[in-house]
Amino acid sequence: MVESDSYPLQAGNRVAGIVEHLDRDVERGEDLVMLGYGLVLLAPIFAPLLPPKILLPLMALVFAVSATVARWHFAKMAKKLAVSSAGLEQRELCQLQPIAEVFAEHPRQTLAVAFNPLRNLSRTAKSVLGGMLVNPFWGPIFYMLGLQFVEDRHFYLLNRAVLGIEQKLGRIPIRD
C-alpha cells in the first residue's frame, strides 16, 4: 500500500476529511505506544528462559524502539497536515488550528535530546533512584519508560484536539 504525502481532501467538507484521516493516524500512533507497553508486559513469559541481565535490557530496548517509531509517526502526521493545509482557505485553517497548535508545541525536544540522559536530569535522577530501589538493571527501563510516557502524552493531546474538532463539526456527540 502506497502512502501519500498528504491527507486526501473530500469534495464536500475538506476539514472533515482531513480530521477523519488524522483520527485514524492518531489511533495508529496510540497503537504503536501500546504495543511497546504490551511487549514489555509479556516479558515475564520469557523470565524462565532468559536471565535478567539479558531480559531487562531487552525491555528497555523495546521501549526505545516503540517511542522512536511513535515519534516518527507523529512527525509524519505533522508533515501530512502541513501539506494538506496548503490548499485550504483561511476559514478552514482556523478550524484546524487546535491540531496545528499541538503539532507546533509538541514534541518540545528532538529524539537525540530525549535519549540523552545528561539533557534530561530529572528523568535520569528518577531512573537511578528507581534502579537503586528495585534493581540496577531497571534504571534504563525506567528512563525509557519516561520517554514512552512523553510519546503517549503527545498522542493524548493530539487525540483531544481531534475530538474537539469532531465535536465542533458535529461528527460525534458531545459527552458530559
Side-chain angles (χ1 to χ4, degrees):
M1 181 174 134
V2 177
E3 233 178 275
S4 70
D5 292 339
S6 65
Y7 291 112
L9 300 175
Q10 294 177 347
N13 189 346
R14 297 187 295 188
V15 173
I18 290 173
V19 170
E20 179 182 335
H21 289 283
L22 191 61
D23 189 26
R24 283 191 215 131
D25 278 350
V26 170
E27 288 176 13
R28 284 188 200 113
E30 289 172 337
D31 290 344
L32 289 170
V33 173
M34 293 308 293
L35 178 64
Y37 291 137
L39 289 175
V40 169
L41 288 174
L42 287 175
I45 294 172
F46 299 105
L49 305 173
L50 297 171
K53 65 182 179 182
I54 295 173
L55 185 61
L56 296 177
L58 283 176
M59 291 169 57
L61 183 64
V62 165
F63 278 142
V65 169
S66 174
T68 301
V69 172
R71 176 74 62 95
W72 288 341
H73 185 70
F74 191 83
K76 186 169 50 170
M77 289 174 15
K79 182 181 174 192
K80 286 171 74 172
L81 181 66
V83 170
S84 298
S85 298
L88 297 179
E89 299 173 7
Q90 185 63 33
R91 175 187 56 83
E92 294 168 325
L93 290 174
C94 288
Q95 288 177 319
L96 291 173
Q97 189 61 32
I99 295 172
E101 288 174 1
V102 171
F103 282 128
E105 185 174 333
H106 299 281
R108 293 190 178 114
Q109 52 183 261
T110 64
L111 276 174
V113 172
F115 280 115
N116 187 349
L118 299 176
R119 302 281 301 266
N120 299 289
L121 294 177
S122 174
R123 187 182 313 149
T124 302
K126 291 174 186 175
S127 302
V128 168
L129 179 62
M132 288 185 340
L133 292 174
V134 177
N135 181 340
F137 287 116
W138 278 81
I141 294 171
F142 290 139
Y143 188 84
M144 292 302 150
L145 182 62
L147 185 61
Q148 187 86 352
F149 288 157
V150 169
E151 298 307 318
D152 196 12
R153 178 82 175 150
H154 292 161
F155 284 105
Y156 170 76
L157 293 172
L158 189 57
N159 193 23
R160 300 269 305 182
V162 168
L163 286 175
I165 292 174
E166 285 178 338
Q167 286 176 348
K168 288 179 185 175
L169 293 174
R171 293 288 215 187
I172 59 172
I174 298 174
R175 290 178 262 165
D176 292 325

